[in-house]
Amino acid sequence: MIILANILIVTTILIGVIFLLVAAIGLIRLPDVYTRTHAASKSATLSVMFILLGVFFHFWLIEGHVNTLVLLGIAFLFITGPVGGHVIGRSAYLTGVKLWEDSVKDELAPVIAERKKRHEQK
Amino acid sequence: MKTNDVILQTATKVVFFIIILFSIHIFFAGHYTPGGGFVGGLLTASGIVLLLLAFDLKTVTTTLPINYTVMTSIGLLIALATAAGSIFFNVPLLTHAFDYFDLPLLGKQSLHTAVFFDTGVYLVVVGVTMTIIQSIGDDD
């Protein structure tokens, strides 16, 4: 039982750490703010959730102590991580940070231009 | 230009209650585990600051009509009353007392007068933090 529990804990935490590494590499390698927030918010949120899950399993299966605060932390990160990424990307776009030069699609640009025009007419 | 931040506001409406519940847990768990009045007060204040970030100052002051300077003074009064209460039992100042009670639903629990002092600390921390942030954010 202990061996099975240890395998489960190690696998969960290892998945988390690998995703954290992927997020860090993405932050260095990707070309602009939007792709970087994509890497940071998605991959880092998943990785921290996996690490917390591993911590929960460790305290539950090895120490026999069910810590619901860790589960609350997982739910909290699941809600707030992507919202944080969204807000960073949105504020970057609205302050005029350029997209990567090889981008092919910018569907928000005509909407923002239309809204600015309507705002000036008022 | 008015921006549309419906995602931030919807997430705030959910997250605010998690933060407040967690701060209450931290406040009550302070005697046996890490936590207490100071951290609980800071967490509550940070929940209200999150509301201030997602909505504006006017909305938050209408939904939470609290005068934070009065809150600070009430907290100080509670702490002072806890300290002064020990005088009446002929013991040194700030001596606390506890006893075990059989509460309905909760069973045998120890109730301690240090909780009143912690309540005072909690109210002072929330009041001071929110006074600082509101007075900085208010001067347009």
Side-chain angles (χ1 to χ4, degrees):
Chain A
M1 256 331 266
I2 289 286
I3 294 174
L4 276 180
N6 273 329
I7 289 173
L8 180 68
I9 293 159
V10 169
T11 332
T12 323
I13 293 184
L14 201 65
I15 291 173
V17 172
I18 287 171
F19 269 109
L20 202 57
L21 187 69
V22 167
I25 293 173
L27 275 184
I28 298 170
R29 291 287 299 157
L30 289 174
D32 67 345
V33 178
Y34 309 104
T35 45
R36 279 178 184 168
T37 49
H38 168 84
S41 63
K42 239 187 240 181
S43 188
T45 307
L46 189 69
S47 72
V48 179
M49 279 165 68
F50 263 108
I51 292 173
L52 281 179
L53 200 66
V55 170
F56 175 75
F57 281 147
H58 176 266
F59 278 98
W60 181 31
L61 299 172
I62 308 290
E63 318 260 335
H65 169 68
V66 177
N67 195 343
T68 45
L69 283 182
V70 177
L71 291 181
L72 189 71
I74 292 174
F76 190 82
L77 269 170
F78 185 64
I79 301 171
T80 52
V83 173
H86 160 80
V87 171
I88 293 171
R90 184 179 178 80
S91 55
Y93 193 90
L94 290 179
T95 45
V97 177
K98 290 273 178 295
L99 270 68
W100 180 40
E101 53 203 0
D102 288 352
S103 304
V104 280
K105 246 184 185 176
D106 187 5
E107 288 179 335
L108 194 55
V111 181
I112 296 283
E114 166 79 14
R115 210 181 255 189
K116 261 188 188 151
K117 211 167 53 180
R118 223 187 305 154
H119 184 69
E120 277 162 14
Q121 277 173 358
K122 270 181 190 170
Chain B
M1 193 175 79
K2 199 170 182 310
T3 52
N4 176 13
D5 42 5
V6 70
I7 294 181
L8 181 61
Q9 290 182 351
T10 315
T12 302
K13 281 172 196 162
V14 180
V15 162
F16 176 71
F17 290 103
I18 300 180
I19 295 176
I20 292 297
L21 278 179
F22 185 57
S23 78
I24 292 171
H25 170 263
I26 283 276
F27 171 72
F28 280 114
H31 195 68
Y32 293 110
T33 54
F38 187 78
V39 190
L42 275 184
L43 262 171
T44 310
S46 71
I48 304 173
V49 169
L50 181 67
L51 279 187
L52 279 173
L53 286 176
F55 302 92
D56 54 345
L57 190 63
K58 216 177 142 195
T59 321
V60 176
T61 40
T62 42
T63 37
L64 290 172
I66 301 168
N67 190 344
Y68 290 106
T69 42
V70 175
M71 197 173 179
T72 311
S73 40
I74 288 175
L76 284 175
L77 277 179
I78 291 175
L80 193 66
T82 319
S86 57
I87 292 175
F88 297 109
F89 298 99
N90 205 14
V91 283
L93 197 69
L94 274 170
T95 305
H96 288 288
F98 73 97
D99 203 355
Y100 293 97
F101 294 96
D102 265 327
L103 299 177
L105 289 177
L106 295 173
K108 190 183 172 196
Q109 295 285 334
S110 68
L111 295 181
H112 202 297
T113 51
V115 175
F116 294 119
F117 194 78
D118 238 14
T119 313
V121 174
Y122 178 87
L123 289 178
V124 169
V125 169
V126 174
V128 167
T129 317
M130 290 318 294
T131 312
I132 292 171
I133 287 165
Q134 276 194 348
S135 51
I136 290 174
D138 205 13
D139 54 49
D140 294 315

